[in-house]
Amino acid sequence: MNDLTIRAVRTTLLRMPWANDPWMKGHALGPMRELVVVELETASGITGMGYLHLLTLPLQRTIACCIEEAMAPQVIGRSATEVEGIWQDLWRMTVTGGRGGVTMMAQSAIDIALWDILGKSAGLPLHRLWGHVRSEIPVYGSGCFRGALGEGMAAKAGHFADAGYKAIKMQAAHIGDWRQDVRNLRLVRDTVGHDVEIMIDINMGWTADQAIIAGRAFQDYDPYWIEEPVLPDDYAGYLRCAEALTTRVVGGETHFGRADLKPFLQNPRLPILQPDPMRGGLTELRKIATVAETWGMTIAPHLFPELNVHLLASIPNAAWAEQMGLLDDLWVEHPRIEAGMIHAPETPGHGLAFKPEVLLDFALA
């Protein structure tokens, strides 16, 4: 039997340019990709890897410091099998200064690495370790960026449709004119036709009343959902939007764990939740999925399709994976996507490893 005692915690910061992809035109995700990578090494030599992609969040070194200063000493010497116990202890240890934010993001990276160890030790991919449900999940093409303007969003949506995607996501709001957002949606609908679903991401850009006015105009073009219409703490605004619109209102990517999502779970008017693995780790995402299923809600987690595919393949209430391609060029292997479906890999653990040259060329001192 493998000795899964954790003997070392290593943190690496990666900073690198975006891939040379013309379809990234118009993004507002910052000039560089910034990642925090955590490796947990066990006494038997199994190493688990967890990672965070911070997008526009300028806290790379802060999160690394939190891992090294506060969390690594609490993890070293414990068995990687203590996933739940470690999660609870790290959360309770930081509760007076955390309950989310930097501390939960730090422990999320550790949690992902712990599950990677357990999958590797068992010789099973995570979706089979947790209880396999399906091998493929619908995936939508995301990243029709508002910065590319209406024509650019429509062109990228058409690119996804030509590649076999059955759904795409475009951005709205933050441009000062909701009527232009309606025109942009019309352009996208005209491009992809009526057999492709269109999700609309507001990125917290409106108040509830603005979202309701624009959302009613959107309905003429049959959008699949309106995502994050208001700021995350505006639970009343979310519920007002959900009650006023026939289009699905969804959200959850900026919320930290079950506690932050509790108002949605107590008032299940959002049919789809979008939790982020950086805000609770895989342990918390699995709990959110279970509670959501109790209330008839489905799960379409935020980004990280290469990781979230394991969650979606192991829960009964999976809805969609999101593919934006932000990290695809960094992996030795990436889960296969074809004909609008992402396929769950059969590699033990989460099956992800950075290409050696990525770690060599882009690690910060």
Side-chain angles (χ1 to χ4, degrees), residues 112-233:
I112 293 165
L114 287 170
W115 280 114
D116 191 30
I117 290 171
L118 293 191
K120 289 175 176 176
S121 178
L124 293 171
L126 294 182
H127 63 90
R128 295 199 182 274
L129 185 71
W130 294 333
H132 178 85
V133 175
R134 61 183 63 80
S135 293
E136 54 184 38
I137 300 98
V139 61
Y140 65 88
S142 187
C144 297
F145 301 112
R146 61 177 66 82
L149 307 179
E151 291 77 8
M153 285 191 281
K156 188 168 184 178
H159 167 72
F160 280 128
D162 291 343
Y165 287 76
K166 303 300 189 294
I168 64 92
K169 188 164 78 179
M170 61 177 286
Q171 293 182 329
H174 299 280
I175 62 172
D177 181 3
W178 66 267
R179 292 176 180 84
Q180 183 60 50
D181 290 312
V182 177
R183 291 190 286 271
N184 292 343
L185 173 56
R186 184 182 64 215
L187 273 175
V188 172
R189 176 55 76 199
D190 288 345
T191 299
V192 301
H194 291 282
D195 294 329
V196 175
E197 303 287 3
I198 300 176
M199 291 88 159
I200 303 175
D201 195 344
I202 309 304
N203 296 114
M204 306 175 285
W206 285 330
T207 59
D209 60 321
Q210 290 171 319
I212 291 167
I213 290 168
R216 286 174 174 162
F218 288 160
Q219 288 172 178
D220 289 341
Y221 303 99
D222 190 27
Y224 187 83
W225 74 40
I226 294 174
E227 176 178 336
E228 280 204 308
V230 297
L231 289 168
D233 290 339

Side-chain angles (χ1 to χ4, degrees), residues 10 73 132 142 159 178 221 240 250 296 299 317 328 331 354:
R10 294 187 294 271
H132 178 85
S142 187
H159 167 72
W178 66 267
Y221 303 99
R240 283 173 57 203
V250 305
I299 299 295
N317 56 328
D328 288 2
W331 306 115
F354 289 100

Side-chain angles (χ1 to χ4, degrees), residues 338-361:
E338 62 182 15
M341 305 295 283
I342 185 169
H343 296 257
E346 296 296 339
T347 312
H350 53 50
L352 298 169
F354 289 100
K355 293 175 181 176
E357 59 270 27
V358 170
L359 298 172
L360 184 66
D361 295 343

